[in-house]
Amino acid sequence: MLGPISSSLVNRYGCRAVTIAGALLAAASLAVSSYATSVFMLFITIGFGTGMGLGLIYLPAIVSVTMYFERLRSLATGIAVCGSGLGTTIFAPLTEALIKRLEWQGALQAIGAIVLICVLFGLMFRPLTHESAAAAAAAAAGKQDEAAVPALQHSSTGRPASPAKPAATNQTGEGALKRSNSHGDMDIPKIDLNANGHSISGHNLDADRKVLPADETKRLGLSQPLLTAPLTDQQLQATAVQGAMKRAESGTMYRKDALYTGSVHNIASRHTSQANLSVYEKGSYGSVQGNGTGTQLAEQDTTEQCLGCIPCSKETCDTFREMMNFSILKDPIFIVFTVSNFLTSVGFNVPYVYLAAQAQVLGIDTQNASYLLSIIGIANTVGRIVLGYLSDKTWVNRLWVYNWSLASCGIATGLSVFCLDFYWLAVYSAVYGFTIGAYVGLTSVILVDLLGLEKLTNAFGLLLLFQGIASFVGPPIAGWLYDYTLSYGPGFIMAGTTIAISGAMLFAIPSIQRYLARKRTAAAMAGGIPLE
């Protein structure tokens, strides 16, 4: 549930600072938990404290990878998120061993120390820059008398901004890519790429960048005196260094593809009008070019009221408002996908929480029971890589891959109540781990297929919110069913049912898309509006 807040902080302070803060909070909360005297105290320390810390870590770890990769982004992200499956593989038996050797208090302290290592990894989330702060200061000193507008035509990385070119949505050729799957029978726009594989459409974002309105120039003079008024050498150097460092860290979430885990060369959109979204150049990490007007750059030091009462920076407010924009719930496709995602999240955590306990009820010792979670982790690692790789192939309908994976996962989870020994439970663990990899790895690419890249940040933020609510509800329901029936079977049946339904209901999306397309066509013709 902390995803929208984490994203807002990333947009203001960058991936590095947010990751370090999350690691410190999670590690400290785990250490404090070792002194807990009641379960209620663990609700506060582990539930809220560690949960918030890990929530701050998760999203920056994904975003930082998307900033470094374009063509191989899907593979890179797949390898990165494999840490989750690998961690499940290692930590299940490790935690069991730590509890036996150090008791549960010592085990929590040891795990807290391990989580603290994330501080070092957070320091490695270096923002992409092609120019050091000192070089930026020297360059700025040499161009002190240049006009403000030409200076704005340079990106935050120090490279000249590429001129806008018209979108080639109706052209064919080697540079035009087509993603026809996941959309039923709908026509898919094409994205024209240059020789380096970057989008050269950029029509929506870059068309107005050349001319700066008078009021914007005036605000620029107030917030960026370096660009409009002569300064002393010391003031000039200090301002340039601070500006270069700040621009390198902030504005990350203004990129529309910041949360997109697939290859940007295969981006498809449900609406033809969204075909002109710009795919930013490499090296523009932390770019504040989100709306193409330079407004973010000019107003980066302003303070606004978030939620009407909390003073926040403009970057923080912008991202939080976009992620918490509930107007997207008017889209029927998003409603269907949100309900599906909620049902998946209800059952997602049940095997992780209760599978070891179910194994012990069947007479399996605690060590072998922990190995079942390790099997889930191994299979999940393989599943994320394989399914992520397949989803980037243009001949693969990734919506169908996603749907069949969830349906199979749900059916296997429901049938797991008939697994009465370690070997059959191991088979179920492998099937569950592999198929549930689609839920984690393909969510963002499916959202882009269904809604378009422009709505990804908004849709993903709301999905994180609903996922958090569902994750809070699912395991307690399974626990209540055990208390009532004295069996873990009903809990697994509940989880399997919700996951299977979440996959099956998405098979209706192509039909809904065709219905909505016919409805829009009929409305346009009735109103005398020519169709493009």
Side-chain angles (χ1 to χ4, degrees):
M1 293 181 65
L2 205 68
I5 297 177
S6 176
S7 302
S8 303
L9 295 175
V10 165
N11 199 40
R12 177 61 181 87
Y13 299 105
C15 295
R16 176 186 289 172
V18 176
T19 301
I20 293 174
L24 292 174
L25 177 59
S29 299
L30 285 169
V32 171
S33 299
S34 63
Y35 299 99
T37 57
S38 66
V39 175
F40 179 78
M41 183 175 178
L42 292 178
F43 289 166
I44 304 300
T45 55
I46 289 184
F48 286 96
T50 305
M52 291 175 64
L54 298 180
L56 291 175
I57 292 175
Y58 172 75
L59 189 134
I62 300 299
V63 171
S64 61
V65 176
T66 67
M67 297 301 151
Y68 271 79
F69 294 89
E70 290 184 356
R71 182 173 60 87
L72 298 177
R73 180 182 295 183
S74 181
L75 177 61
T77 306
I79 294 174
V81 298
C82 281
S84 177
L86 183 62
T88 304
T89 303
I90 296 175
F91 272 81
L94 176 62
T95 304
E96 182 67 24
L98 289 174
I99 292 175
K100 289 182 178 179
R101 181 177 294 271
L102 304 175
E103 300 297 331
W104 65 268
Q105 294 91 338
L108 282 174
Q109 294 176 358
I111 295 175
I114 295 174
V115 172
L116 192 61
I117 300 175
C118 288
V119 171
L120 300 178
F121 294 125
L123 289 172
M124 297 180 186
F125 288 167
R126 180 177 60 87
L128 288 178
T129 55
H130 291 277
E131 194 173 46
S132 65
K143 299 180 179 180
Q144 176 178 349
D145 296 329
E146 289 186 1
V149 174
L152 273 179
Q153 293 176 352
H154 291 74
S155 67
S156 62
T157 59
R159 297 185 307 174
S162 301
K165 297 183 180 180
T169 56
N170 297 321
Q171 298 176 0
T172 58
E174 294 181 356
L177 296 180
K178 182 177 182 180
R179 173 77 193 183
S180 59
N181 293 318
S182 303
H183 296 275
D185 299 328
M186 300 185 66
D187 292 333
I188 303 302
K190 302 172 182 178
I191 301 177
D192 197 12
L193 304 176
N194 61 18
N196 295 323
H198 304 304
S199 170
I200 62 174
S201 57
H203 182 269
N204 288 359
L205 299 178
D206 298 329
D208 301 325
R209 183 171 300 173
K210 294 182 179 180
V211 180
L212 199 65
D215 58 339
E216 295 295 332
T217 306
K218 183 177 180 180
R219 274 203 297 267
L220 175 66
L222 297 176
S223 62
Q224 299 289 333
L226 170 63
L227 300 177
T228 58
L231 299 174
T232 65
D233 292 341
Q234 292 181 347
Q235 291 175 328
L236 184 62
Q237 184 174 2
T239 304
V241 170
Q242 294 174 1
M245 293 176 63
K246 186 172 183 179
R247 287 194 299 272
E249 296 288 348
S250 65
T252 302
M253 299 304 297
Y254 284 132
R255 291 173 55 119
K256 294 302 180 182
D257 64 330
L259 297 170
Y260 185 69
T261 59
S263 171
V264 296
H265 293 179
N266 291 334
I267 289 178
S269 177
R270 184 161 60 97
H271 302 294
T272 305
S273 61
Q274 295 173 343
N276 297 335
L277 287 170
S278 174
V279 178
Y280 294 93
E281 295 287 334
K282 291 180 180 178
S284 61
Y285 183 101
S287 171
V288 289
Q289 304 175 38
N291 65 356
T293 64
T295 304
Q296 282 84 2
L297 182 62
E299 300 180 354
Q300 60 184 344
D301 293 324
T302 61
T303 299
E304 299 184 3
Q305 297 292 328
C306 195
L307 297 178
C309 60
I310 304 175
C312 298
S313 67
K314 186 178 188 303
E315 294 95 336
T316 302
C317 287
D318 285 346
T319 302
F320 188 80
R321 287 168 182 164
E322 183 173 8
M323 282 197 154
M324 292 291 97
N325 183 4
F326 287 91
S327 64
I328 196 175
L329 291 174
K330 298 177 182 178
D331 191 322
I333 299 296
F334 181 69
I335 293 177
V336 172
F337 192 83
T338 300
V339 173
S340 169
N341 210 260
F342 182 88
L343 292 176
T344 305
S345 300
V346 169
F348 174 75
N349 290 299
V350 171
Y352 287 103
V353 176
Y354 294 109
L355 183 60
Q358 168 76 337
Q360 293 177 31
V361 169
L362 297 175
I364 300 172
D365 60 81
T366 56
Q367 184 174 3
N368 285 332
S370 67
Y371 288 153
L372 293 175
L373 295 178
S374 296
I375 294 173
I376 292 179
I378 295 173
N380 190 250
T381 300
V382 176
R384 293 188 186 196
I385 294 178
V386 172
L387 296 176
Y389 175 79
L390 289 177
S391 70
D392 258 351
K393 301 300 180 182
T394 56
W395 49 269
V396 173
N397 187 321
R398 46 196 181 193
L399 178 62
W400 279 58
V401 171
Y402 184 86
N403 298 350
W404 279 112
S405 295
L406 291 185
S408 302
C409 180
I411 293 173
T413 301
L415 294 178
S416 66
V417 297
F418 298 105
C419 300
L420 303 179
D421 57 32
F422 174 82
Y423 299 103
W424 280 109
L425 285 176
V427 171
Y428 160 68
S429 300
V431 173
Y432 174 82
F434 185 90
T435 54
I436 204 64
Y439 166 65
V440 180
L442 300 184
T443 297
S444 69
V445 297
I446 298 297
L447 280 176
V448 171
D449 283 352
L450 299 179
L451 305 175
L453 183 63
E454 190 173 26
K455 296 182 181 179
L456 175 59
T457 302
N458 184 195
F460 199 82
L462 289 180
L463 277 185
L464 289 175
L465 180 64
F466 288 117
Q467 285 176 9
I469 297 173
S471 298
F472 182 77
V473 171
I477 292 177
W480 176 81
L481 289 174
Y482 173 81
D483 292 338
Y484 186 77
T485 63
L486 299 180
S487 171
Y488 290 107
F492 279 87
I493 293 175
M494 179 274 297
T497 301
T498 58
I499 296 175
I501 292 176
S502 71
M505 66 185 298
L506 294 182
F507 283 108
I509 281 185
S511 299
I512 298 175
Q513 287 178 324
R514 289 190 290 269
Y515 168 76
L516 293 175
R518 290 195 300 267
K519 187 176 180 181
R520 286 192 297 267
T521 302
M525 295 181 65
I529 301 176
L531 296 176
E532 296 180 354

